Amino acid sequence: MTTDPTTPQLMLGHVDIDADHQQFTERLAQLKAASGAAFIQQFGQLTDHLAEHFERENSLMMQSGYPASAEHRGEHNRVLGEMTNFRARVEAGRVRFGRAYALEQLPGWFDLHVSTMDAALVEYLKRSPL
Ligand SMILES: [Fe+2]
Ligand SMILES: [Fe+2]
């Protein structure tokens, strides 16, 4: 699987969740191409985007009574904690730590998260519309 935004596997059939995934993919692609001050700024923006993206999914889980919400929410918290940590390092001038994380960890994590936890959530939402 790839992180190409047009990859059909990443489109789950939920308008808001798909829009967030599209936005994450575009922001990550821009970050990979950025350097210097632009990289630092975009790393922070990607972290802010993820916080909002995760909160939207967390709200959908809460409103729908999704049974696996604790596990999914826990994974969001774990990744947001990592991003926040790397953001602090990047803003302190240790940009290469953030670059390595963004290039080597985030793409694989995102593909797996979308195709497992987010896909399961969307399947549940389709069966139990809000
Ligand atoms: Fe997501
Ligand atoms: Fe998620």
Side-chain angles (χ1 to χ4, degrees):
M1 193 179 288
T2 102
T3 51
D4 181 328
T6 58
T7 302
Q9 295 97 311
L10 293 180
M11 300 302 282
L12 300 176
H14 186 288
V15 173
D16 296 335
I17 290 176
D18 285 342
D20 268 333
H21 293 165
Q22 180 81 28
Q23 198 184 137
F24 174 87
T25 304
E26 289 170 6
R27 285 183 181 277
L28 183 59
Q30 286 171 3
L31 182 68
K32 285 179 179 176
S35 59
F39 182 90
I40 296 168
Q41 185 187 33
Q42 289 179 26
F43 197 96
Q45 288 171 343
L46 184 66
T47 307
D48 291 339
H49 159 77
L50 270 183
E52 292 163 13
H53 168 165
F54 290 165
E55 195 43 50
R56 278 187 281 275
E57 289 179 13
N58 292 347
S59 294
L60 287 168
M61 290 194 274
M62 203 174 70
Q63 290 163 21
S64 66
Y66 182 58
S69 65
E71 183 190 12
H72 194 156
R73 183 186 287 265
E75 179 63 7
H76 287 166
N77 289 342
R78 185 188 69 77
V79 170
L80 196 56
E82 285 182 357
M83 283 295 290
T84 302
N85 223 313
F86 280 108
R87 178 187 201 166
R89 291 195 204 181
V90 163
E91 289 176 351
R94 284 170 288 167
V95 170
R96 68 190 171 86
F97 287 98
R99 184 175 294 285
Y101 181 71
L103 268 63
E104 293 163 20
Q105 304 292 322
L106 273 181
W109 168 79
F110 181 71
D111 281 358
L112 185 63
H113 185 82
V114 170
S115 64
T116 55
M117 290 189 175
D118 289 348
L121 172 60
V122 169
E123 279 312 304
Y124 178 81
L125 293 173
K126 284 178 182 169
R127 291 198 309 271
S128 353
L130 294 175

